[in-house]
Amino acid sequence: MRLKDKVALITGAGSGIGRESALLFAREGARVVVVDVDDEAGQETVRLIRENGGEATFVHADVSRAEDVRNMIAQAESMYGRLDILFNNAGIFHPKDGSVLETEEEVWDRVIDVNLKGVFLGCKYGIPALLRAGGGVIINTASFVALMGAAVSQIAYTASKGGVLALTREIAVEFARQNIRANALCPGPVETPLLAELLSDPARRQRRLVHIPMGRFARAEEIAHAALFLASDESSYVNGAAFIVDGGITAAYITPE
Ligand code: NAD
C-alpha cells in the first residue's frame, strides 16, 4: 500500500477528481478526511470508501472561508492525530466567466475566492499541521490553463489557476528544508460535473477536442492516479513542479487529423 498509515485531507472530495482521489488514497491505506461544501456528496464519498473497507470522515467546509478551513484542519488532527497529505482540490467553474471584456466583477471575485484564496487558506492553516507531523505533502490543483491561453476565455478561472501555480512554487521553495513538498497538479480537460454543461454542447466539445493529441478528455481516475504519485513517497524528489497530466495538449502545435 502506497499511503499506509498516512492521513490525507482532500477538499472538493464530493465529486470528480476529488472523489476519485479519496477512493484511491483510501484503497492505498490512507485515512481520508473528505471535505466539501456539499454535505450529501461528501458523505456519499465517505460511504463509498467505508463500503470498500477504507477509513474516512466527512467535514463540511467552504474553502473560501477562513473559519471553515481552520476547522477542517483542526478536525483532521483531532480525529486522526496528524495530517500528512493536504490536497487542495476544490474549485469552481462559473458559467458567466468569459472574456475579460464581459466578465462581471462578482464572478471574478467568487472564482478567485474559491479557486485561489481557497488554496491560500488551505496552505495557511494546513502547513502548521504538516509541520507538527514532521513534514508532509501538498498537492494544489491548478490546470493546464495556468500554462496556456485560449481564445475561448474563462478569464477568472485561468487567472485563478495561474495564481495557484505561482503560489505552489513559492511554498515548495520556502518549506523544502522542513520536509514539505508542494506540487501543482495541472490536468487537461476532464469529464467531471465541473465541465458537464460545457461539454454537453457538441460544438463547444469539438472546439476543445481538436486540440488534444490523444483525441479524448481525461477521466477523473487518471488524474487521481497522478495525485497518488505526488502524495506518495515515490515522488520524494518532485517539488515545486507543474505536474502536467493533459494527454499531450501542452506539447502540441498541430494535432493528428
Ligand atoms: P467537480 O465539480 O466534479 O468537483 C468539485 C467539488 O468541489 C464539488 O464536490 C464541489 O461541491 C466542491 N466545491 C466547490 N466549491 C467548494 C468550496 N467553496 N468549498 C469546498 N468544496 C467546494 O470538479 P472537478 O472537475 O473534479 O475539479 C476538481 C479540481 O480540478 C478543481 O480545482 C478544478 O478547477 C480542477 N480542474 C478540473 C478540470 C476539468 O476539466 N474537470 C481540469 C483542470 C483542473
Side-chain angles (χ1 to χ4, degrees):
M1 291 219 231
R2 295 156 74 184
L3 300 180
K4 194 165 164 22
D5 297 329
K6 302 281 189 197
V7 177
L9 183 151
I10 305 177
T11 66
S15 175
I17 297 167
R19 173 177 283 173
E20 290 301 327
S21 300
L23 293 171
L24 183 58
F25 285 20
R27 281 206 299 278
E28 292 295 335
R31 289 167 286 169
V32 183
V33 182
V34 170
V35 174
D36 210 287
V37 74
D38 180 338
D39 293 6
E40 218 171 287
Q43 274 153 1
E44 175 61 9
T45 302
V46 169
R47 195 191 64 73
L48 291 168
I49 290 173
R50 290 185 182 155
E51 193 177 78
N52 289 326
E55 203 173 333
T57 314
F58 173 69
V59 177
H60 172 96
D62 176 341
V63 297
S64 67
R65 293 167 50 102
E67 201 43 53
D68 286 14
V69 175
R70 212 177 320 173
N71 178 59
M72 81 183 184
I73 301 291
Q75 292 281 329
E77 282 189 304
S78 79
M79 271 176 306
Y80 295 128
R82 56 190 292 127
L83 181 65
D84 303 295
I85 298 159
L86 171 65
F87 188 2
N88 291 305
N89 165 77
I92 57 168
F93 193 85
H94 200 293
K96 291 191 172 156
D97 184 11
S99 159
V100 64
L101 301 178
E102 289 140 19
T103 301
E104 302 288 348
E105 213 177 316
E106 302 77 55
V107 172
W108 169 272
D109 286 345
R110 185 61 193 150
V111 172
I112 297 290
D113 266 5
V114 175
N115 292 8
L116 181 53
K117 187 172 147 196
V119 174
F120 160 73
L121 291 172
C123 292
K124 182 176 173 65
Y125 296 110
I127 288 173
L130 297 178
L131 290 172
R132 284 191 285 277
V137 175
I138 299 169
I139 305 162
N140 293 331
T141 308
S143 166
F144 74 109
V145 302
L147 303 160
M148 297 182 90
V152 285
S153 187
Q154 278 103 25
I155 197 69
Y157 185 86
T158 298
S160 73
K161 295 304 186 180
V164 169
L165 187 53
L167 172 152
T168 306
R169 264 197 299 261
E170 198 119 292
I171 286 170
V173 175
E174 184 179 351
F175 296 97
R177 297 198 182 176
Q178 290 168 81
N179 202 26
I180 290 178
R181 294 186 295 111
N183 291 293
L185 184 57
C186 298
V190 191
E191 298 259 17
T192 69
L194 185 98
L195 285 190
E197 197 205 322
L198 194 152
L199 297 183
S200 66
D201 173 347
R204 293 168 90 198
R205 189 180 178 88
Q206 194 54 27
R207 181 88 164 94
R208 284 154 184 82
L209 216 42
V210 293
H211 296 287
I212 308 176
M214 287 175 68
R216 66 169 177 85
F217 299 107
R219 296 185 302 273
E221 62 265 29
E222 294 178 301
I223 310 304
H225 277 284
L228 172 62
F229 170 69
L230 292 175
S232 76
D233 291 341
E234 290 155 27
S235 60
S236 54
Y237 204 61
V238 182
N239 186 36
F243 199 86
I244 301 169
V245 188
D246 70 348
I249 297 173
T250 51
Y253 168 38
I254 298 175
T255 56
E257 287 196 70

